[in-house]
């Protein structure tokens, strides 16, 4: 309850200031105007369309980048020798900021979904690879021996033993990557891609509609918060404390 | 693993890097990928070398690094001071904490349109966005570090007759240091990303702008040289901070 006081106070203060001084600026808007703009954009479906564009790109990038990260994470996690051989290329590629690849992807794909998905995939690849390989190398050795005794092939061993045993921490990896995917998708849209919520904010700013700009910002915050809360709850329900054990990097 | 095996695998890792560059060379040599998109490694190296020695690539690197570090240092100072104030008071945490937590998943780049609305497409816009965007990870990490102080240590401080300042200085700050350093590391990554995006949007001199212009003009060697330099900046800053972390946190191990 106490947590709600500060935001309410700030909103009330902003509203009061806007009413008394009657700001009509290109960069500020009264909270009531922001709420009205939010309601209007929600009612005519624009906001949902933008959200669908952003979330679809984020999910596609997460699936591709996270999937590749998981495959490589399996290789690295199951065979420390492979991990050592791949060490240098990974160390060289990982520090490249995802946005540095924006112009490269722009050359290759042009504007649109493919550009955004490629950048999101690059960004999501690393957390899944790093946390995923740690999770997989942490799988109890004796379980793997059981698989050998049962004469499972390598694929059956991965499907029936490794993935289920590492699942709680793999979920953590994908949860963190999901947060990254949304942030990167919005960043790509703000930087140059004419799609989704990020571009909607830029467009509202360029056409001097601060109420709409702040409304989209609030909405981005709500979407990010909701996805995060949803995944955290799912993690708690599905795995409980299992996901917390050694969940560090 | 035995030392000889380790050395062998390390050598294999170097060879793999060489093989990747070799494959890159062959792909451009035999025209598997258009040169407009993928320059040969030789031409990339040449662009990198020339740009750093006689061209203005060095100036671009300095502009980006300066912007990133300035924003990061300012955000670190404000984040650590504010974070320690909020984090060491249970009352402040209860009142302010939830609002900060709610803002945590918000992309830092979403500040850019607001920054443009206030400052226009200017240098101060980029710096303000870097400062503000970098402040969050720092602030939240510092609060977390200060909040995690063992209550028993607080009692020890009271028994020793420590004042509030002494408790903060001798117990709370060292206790929060790992979190603060982790936050500073994350903040530096955010600062680099925001510098690049800010330069691209506001047309401010730096690597972000130079790679965007190189891509628009299909100067792919310059583009790749810029990307390599940005990777190098990320690598170097992370390395330095990891070393600092090792030094500062040596007492823990």
């Amino acid at each position: 309850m106490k947590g709600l006081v500060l935001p309410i106070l700030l909103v009330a203060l902003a509203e009061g200031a806007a009413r008394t001084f009657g700001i009509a600026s290109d960069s500020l808007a009264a909270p009531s105007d922001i709420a009205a703009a939010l309601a209007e954009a929600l009612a005519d479906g624009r906001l949902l369309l933008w959200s669908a564009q952003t979330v679809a790109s984020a999910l596609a990038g997460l699936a591709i980048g996270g999937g590749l990260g998981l495959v490589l994470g399996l290789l690295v996690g199951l065979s420390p020798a492979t991990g050592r051989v791949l060490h240098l290329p990974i160390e060289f590629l990982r520090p490249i900021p995802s946005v540095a690849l924006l112009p490269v992807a722009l050359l290759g794909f042009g504007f649109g979904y493919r550009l955004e998905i490629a950048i999101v995939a690059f960004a999501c690849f690393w957390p899944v690879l790093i946390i995923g390989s740690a999770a997989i190398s942490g799988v109890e050795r004796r379980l793997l021996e059981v698989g050998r005794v049962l004469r499972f092939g390598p694929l059956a061993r991965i499907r029936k033993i490794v993935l289920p045993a590492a699942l709680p921490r793999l979920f953590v990896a994908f949860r963190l990557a999901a947060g990254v995917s949304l942030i990167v998708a919005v960043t790509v849209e703000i930087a140059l891609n004419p799609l989704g919520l990020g571009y909607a904010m830029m467009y509202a700013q360029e056409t001097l509609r601060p109420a709409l700009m702040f409304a989209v910002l609030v909405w981005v915050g709500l979407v990010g918060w909701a996805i995060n809360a949803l995944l955290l709850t799912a993690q708690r329900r599905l795995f409980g404390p299992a996901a917390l054990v050694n969940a560090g990097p | 693993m035995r030392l000889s095996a380790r050395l062998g695998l390390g050598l294999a890792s170097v060879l793999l890097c060489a093989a990747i560059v070799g494959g890159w060379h062959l792909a451009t040599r035999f025209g598997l990928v258009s040169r407009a998109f993928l320059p040969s490694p030789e031409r990339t190296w040449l662009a990198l070398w020339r740009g750093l020695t006689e061209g203005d690539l060095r100036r671009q690197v300095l502009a980006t690094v300066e912007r990133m570090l300035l924003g990061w240092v300012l955000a670190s100072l404000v984040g650590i001071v504010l974070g320690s104030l909020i984090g060491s008071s249970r009352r402040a945490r209860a009142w302010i904490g939830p609002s900060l937590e709610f803002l945590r998943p918000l992309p830092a780049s979403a500040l850019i349109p607001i920054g443009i609305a206030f400052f226009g497409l200017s240098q101060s816009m980029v710096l303000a966005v870097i400062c503000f965007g970098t402040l969050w990870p720092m602030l939240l990490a510092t609060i977390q570090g200060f909040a995690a102080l063992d209550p028993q240590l607080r009692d020890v401080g009271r028994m020793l007759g420590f004042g509030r300042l002494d408790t903060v200085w001798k117990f709370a700050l060292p206790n929060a240091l790992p979190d603060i350093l982790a936050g500073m590391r994350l903040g530096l990554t955010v600062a680099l990303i925001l510098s690049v995006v800010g330069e691209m949007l506001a047309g401010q001199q730096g690597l972000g702008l130079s790679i965007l212009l190189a891509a628009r003009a299909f100067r792919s060697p310059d583009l790749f040289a810029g990307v390599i330099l940005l990777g190098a900046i990320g690598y170097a800053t992370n390395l330095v901070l990891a070393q600092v972390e090792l030094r500062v946190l040596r007492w823990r191990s």
Side-chain angles (χ1 to χ4, degrees):
Chain A
M1 281 327 278
K2 279 181 189 166
L4 283 175
V5 173
L6 183 69
I8 291 173
L9 206 69
L10 284 177
V11 167
L13 229 107
E15 185 69 38
R19 288 275 165 89
T20 38
F21 303 115
I23 38 162
S25 112
D26 293 341
S27 49
L28 279 174
S32 52
D33 294 337
I34 296 173
L38 186 65
E40 192 197 327
L42 259 178
D44 65 16
R46 275 180 301 164
L47 203 53
L48 295 179
L49 175 69
W50 296 329
S51 311
Q53 290 172 336
T54 300
V55 171
S57 312
L59 276 182
L62 175 65
I64 295 173
L68 290 174
L70 181 61
V71 170
L72 206 61
L74 271 169
L75 272 176
V76 171
L78 288 176
S79 143
T82 316
R84 283 189 179 269
V85 173
L86 289 174
H87 178 73
L88 277 183
I90 290 177
E91 283 299 293
F92 285 137
L93 290 176
R94 191 158 75 110
I96 297 179
S98 50
V99 289
L101 295 174
L102 266 178
V104 181
L106 184 63
L107 264 186
F109 298 124
F111 294 108
Y113 283 105
R114 289 192 300 167
L115 161 71
E116 196 165 325
I117 291 170
I119 302 292
V120 173
F122 177 82
C124 290
F125 176 76
W126 303 108
V128 175
L129 169 63
I130 305 296
I131 306 173
S133 63
I136 287 160
S137 69
V139 170
E140 182 71 47
R141 290 287 126 186
R142 272 173 292 179
L143 285 177
L144 293 174
E145 279 159 27
V146 170
R148 219 162 285 144
V149 171
L150 290 174
R151 292 175 189 273
F152 283 173
L155 276 182
R157 230 179 293 160
I158 287 172
R159 203 162 49 84
K160 292 187 177 153
I161 295 178
V162 175
L163 287 182
L167 196 60
R169 291 179 61 196
L170 288 178
F171 188 88
V172 173
F174 271 90
R175 178 171 67 78
L176 294 176
V180 170
S181 75
L182 193 68
I183 289 176
V184 173
V186 171
T187 305
V188 171
E189 289 160 1
I190 283 176
L192 44 77
N193 207 22
L195 267 183
L197 293 167
Y199 180 69
M201 277 185 76
M202 289 304 279
Y203 187 71
Q205 189 276 318
E206 280 160 16
T207 50
L208 306 180
R209 282 180 290 175
L212 182 61
M213 175 180 81
F214 281 107
V216 178
L217 178 71
V218 170
W219 181 254
V220 170
L222 283 174
V223 170
W225 179 82
I227 290 179
N228 193 31
L230 196 77
L231 288 175
L232 263 179
T233 315
Q235 178 186 320
R236 232 171 271 142
R237 283 277 164 83
L238 291 173
F239 306 113
L244 297 178
V245 181
N246 304 324
Chain B
M1 209 177 289
R2 291 222 322 273
L3 186 65
S4 58
R6 258 198 224 174
L7 278 178
L9 291 172
L11 190 67
S13 198
V14 174
L15 286 178
L16 179 61
C17 288
I20 291 172
V21 176
W24 175 11
H25 171 78
L26 290 178
T28 49
R29 179 73 188 272
F30 294 108
L32 295 179
V33 191
S34 159
R35 286 207 191 150
F37 301 131
L38 187 70
S40 67
E42 303 92 282
R43 286 180 59 210
T44 306
W45 175 250
L46 204 65
L48 190 61
W49 180 250
R50 279 218 185 119
L52 283 178
T53 50
E54 46 199 80
D56 65 351
L57 211 47
R58 196 166 39 183
R59 221 173 43 210
Q60 317 281 10
V61 172
L62 286 179
T64 299
V65 170
E66 194 188 325
R67 186 168 286 134
M68 170 183 88
L69 287 182
L70 185 58
W72 177 73
V73 167
L74 285 175
S76 299
L77 288 176
V78 177
I80 292 169
V81 169
L82 267 183
S84 60
L85 285 176
I86 298 173
S88 51
S89 145
R90 190 175 303 164
R91 213 173 301 153
R93 285 206 307 272
W95 291 92
I96 306 173
S99 309
L100 296 178
E101 279 302 321
F102 179 76
L103 292 171
R104 187 201 281 269
L106 198 70
S109 56
L111 294 168
I112 291 177
I114 298 167
I116 295 177
F118 277 95
F119 297 101
L121 292 170
S122 65
Q123 186 139 11
S124 32
M125 181 282 282
V126 183
L127 193 61
V129 166
I130 297 172
C131 277
F132 218 74
T134 312
L135 181 64
W136 287 115
M138 221 91 79
L139 187 64
L140 291 168
T142 309
I143 292 175
Q144 190 190 340
F146 271 85
L149 182 65
D150 192 339
Q152 279 187 333
L153 279 177
R154 229 176 269 264
D155 293 340
V156 170
R158 207 168 298 137
M159 275 188 346
L160 292 173
F162 282 1
R164 203 182 178 119
L165 208 64
D166 270 337
T167 315
V168 167
W169 192 246
K170 294 194 170 130
F171 289 147
L173 191 64
N175 189 61
L177 217 46
D179 286 304
I180 293 176
L181 286 171
M184 288 176 83
R185 218 156 132 181
L186 180 60
L188 200 54
T189 312
V190 176
L192 182 57
I193 289 175
L194 289 176
S195 308
V196 171
V197 177
E199 284 162 6
M200 283 179 180
L201 280 171
Q204 295 296 324
Q205 200 184 50
L207 279 174
L209 181 64
S210 82
I211 57 173
L212 189 63
L213 293 179
R216 290 226 176 110
F218 292 97
R219 286 184 282 119
S220 61
D222 293 338
L223 166 60
F224 273 65
V227 173
I228 290 172
L229 282 174
L230 280 170
I233 293 174
Y235 185 77
T237 47
N238 235 324
L239 200 69
V240 170
L241 275 188
Q243 286 302 316
V244 170
E245 235 167 271
L246 268 182
R247 288 266 161 106
V248 174
L249 300 181
R250 194 184 280 159
W251 53 273
R252 293 179 85 218
S253 52

